[in-house]
Amino acid sequence: MKLLKLLPILLLGISALGFTTQKTPSWQTLFNGKDLKEWDTYLAPDYDDSGKPLTGIPIGLNNDPKKVFTVIKQGEENIIRISGESWGAISTKKEYENYHLQLQFKWGNLKWGQKKNSNKDSGLLYHSVGKYGADYGSWMRSQEFQIDEGNCGDYWGVAGGAADIPAIKEGKNYTYRPEGKLISFREDSQIGRFCKKMSDAERPSGEWNTVDLYCYGDTSVHVMNGKVMMVLYRNKQIDDGNESPLRKGKIQIQSEGAEVYYKGIKIQQITSLPATLLK
């Protein structure tokens, strides 16, 4: 009997034994390509060029008078434009856990306020929980996958976010190294809440970059253009010196003084981290 004729019989036998064929989880699109109705916006108080608040009153939730967050047409596709003029973020309405998130971004030309003479800056904030504006009046507690010219993939703990990362000290900062000592990066320690990525994979300004973020359990992996930037263990949050897990939350994308474009934002559930990421 030919193999093609045997195949349905073999599959039937496997099913009868209680085994099923594994399917690749489907992608869920987080940007509908039309508008930002699936996201909330939050904007901080306006700041002067030195970074001091002008009024101390936040622009607030889903109030965007300057059109910091818009959807524009570029070429044949609609993309998200973040002007950077005010500090804040767009955030998903839902929380996510155990996922692979992918998006593309590229830099625009404009810079504002205290960032006029600095690198263009944005950021992907994940496991976002708690109140809006908890960090610098702008962002929820979260873990940051840094998106910043020349520094894409760095880690910042935001408003009490913390993680253990294998790292070595290089100059004033610590840099991720798989063979390094596991160090707790947290705001209330001498080491602080910042760890540099292992290497650089960002494309020239104006070109699209692909960001992949993997989160499973209390571990997360930052990947830029297919290259692992760092692996974070024991994602957690700190309250009055006490630790608790930080494994799920909303996703925020920052406005932080620079014009930036995003597209292709999608997410899929995972049941483990790909082994190739942890080598």
Side-chain angles (χ1 to χ4, degrees):
M1 191 180 289
K2 292 183 179 179
L3 181 59
L4 287 176
K5 290 183 178 180
L6 276 172
L7 188 57
I9 299 171
L10 291 170
L11 290 175
L12 183 61
I14 290 171
S15 178
L17 289 171
F19 296 103
T20 57
T21 54
Q22 252 190 344
K23 293 182 179 179
T24 302
S26 59
W27 286 101
Q28 174 189 349
T29 301
L30 295 185
F31 169 48
N32 64 19
K34 301 175 184 177
D35 52 45
L36 295 173
K37 288 181 180 178
E38 297 172 355
W39 298 73
D40 288 317
T41 69
Y42 186 85
L43 290 170
D46 282 324
Y47 299 102
D48 65 19
D49 286 1
S50 69
K52 294 180 180 179
L54 295 175
T55 65
I57 301 171
I59 298 169
L61 184 65
N62 294 322
N63 180 29
D64 186 6
K66 296 179 182 178
K67 304 299 180 186
V68 173
F69 308 106
T70 55
V71 175
I72 66 167
K73 191 172 186 63
Q74 195 170 86
E76 297 300 315
E77 60 186 347
N78 288 340
I79 62 176
I80 297 171
R81 176 183 182 259
I82 299 178
S83 73
E85 185 174 0
S86 297
W87 287 42
I90 56 172
S91 62
T92 58
K93 295 179 183 291
K94 297 179 181 179
E95 292 189 342
Y96 297 92
E97 181 179 16
N98 296 331
Y99 60 83
H100 171 199
L101 174 74
Q102 185 180 88
L103 57 77
Q104 283 81 48
F105 82 91
K106 70 175 180 178
W107 298 112
N109 297 314
L110 300 176
K111 293 193 288 187
W112 307 86
Q114 60 191 290
K115 293 288 186 175
K116 284 179 181 176
N117 299 312
S118 302
N119 296 341
K120 292 171 187 168
D121 199 357
S122 182
L124 168 62
L125 309 184
Y126 58 99
H127 298 345
S128 303
V129 296
K131 66 179 182 179
Y132 292 95
D135 191 286
Y136 198 60
S138 305
W139 308 295
M140 303 165 70
R141 170 176 290 175
S142 51
Q143 307 288 52
E144 180 170 4
F145 184 136
Q146 176 70 286
I147 296 176
D148 177 281
E149 283 183 308
N151 301 301
C152 290
D154 286 355
Y155 167 73
W156 285 91
V158 179
D164 294 352
I165 304 171
I168 60 172
K169 191 169 186 181
E170 295 183 337
K172 294 181 180 180
N173 296 310
Y174 285 83
T175 301
Y176 167 76
R177 291 285 186 272
E179 70 279 9
K181 179 184 176 182
L182 201 63
I183 298 170
S184 184
F185 289 87
R186 47 193 286 173
E187 192 171 14
D188 62 354
S189 73
Q190 279 190 325
I191 289 172
R193 58 178 177 151
F194 168 66
C195 184
K196 288 186 65 63
K197 60 186 171 53
M198 180 167 58
S199 57
D200 185 32
E202 186 180 344
R203 294 181 180 136
S205 186
E207 294 185 14
W208 287 104
N209 295 273
T210 297
V211 166
D212 288 280
L213 168 67
Y214 294 85
C215 298
Y216 186 75
D218 62 1
T219 301
S220 56
V221 187
H222 296 183
V223 181
M224 271 290 298
N225 293 317
K227 191 171 184 178
V228 173
M229 297 289 101
M230 71 168 60
V231 181
L232 300 82
Y233 301 94
R234 294 189 65 231
N235 279 281
K236 52 195 168 181
Q237 53 192 327
I238 311 298
D239 289 290
D240 298 323
N242 299 313
E243 298 181 7
S244 60
L246 186 56
R247 300 177 180 176
K248 65 178 180 178
K250 295 181 179 181
I251 294 160
Q252 301 176 92
I253 300 176
Q254 290 178 312
S255 173
E256 197 174 354
E259 184 181 38
V260 61
Y261 302 97
Y262 287 91
K263 68 176 184 177
I265 309 171
K266 59 185 182 179
I267 195 167
Q268 65 179 354
Q269 294 297 301
I270 58 174
T271 57
S272 63
L273 291 170
T276 52
L277 298 177
L278 304 177
K279 288 183 177 180

